[in-house]
Amino acid sequence: CPPRHAARRRSGRKADRLEARGLAYQAAVRGGFLVQARRDRRIRVVSALGTPAEVHARILKALSLR
């Protein structure tokens, strides 16, 4: 999910070591992973938006496609 969305989920919790590096860093890392996913068909991108149950269902579906 986009870094701003992830930051909202964390509301109230202290940022960990990577979260503390800021949104620009997290966006760059996410961008790098998305580039890798476009290059390597073995990598699946799964939306992390929604409830934990919805995300879990997407992960299971992506794993079953392999």
Side-chain angles (χ1 to χ4, degrees), residues 24-35:
Y25 173 79
Q26 293 168 33
V29 170
R30 180 177 187 258
F33 280 121
L34 292 174
V35 167

Side-chain angles (χ1 to χ4, degrees), residues 4-48:
R4 286 191 190 282
H5 185 82
R8 284 193 300 269
R9 283 186 179 175
R10 192 180 74 242
S11 66
R13 289 192 343 246
K14 183 178 176 185
D16 69 18
R17 176 175 65 87
L18 296 177
E19 293 164 343
R21 294 187 77 170
L23 293 177
Y25 173 79
Q26 293 168 33
V29 170
R30 180 177 187 258
F33 280 121
L34 292 174
V35 167
Q36 285 300 111
R38 284 192 296 271
R39 292 179 180 166
D40 187 338
R41 66 179 184 85
R42 297 173 298 166
I43 299 172
R44 305 262 185 223
V45 176
V46 177
S47 173

Side-chain angles (χ1 to χ4, degrees), residues 5 9 47-58:
H5 185 82
R9 283 186 179 175
S47 173
L49 301 177
T51 67
E54 291 167 336
V55 175
H56 182 246
R58 284 188 210 114

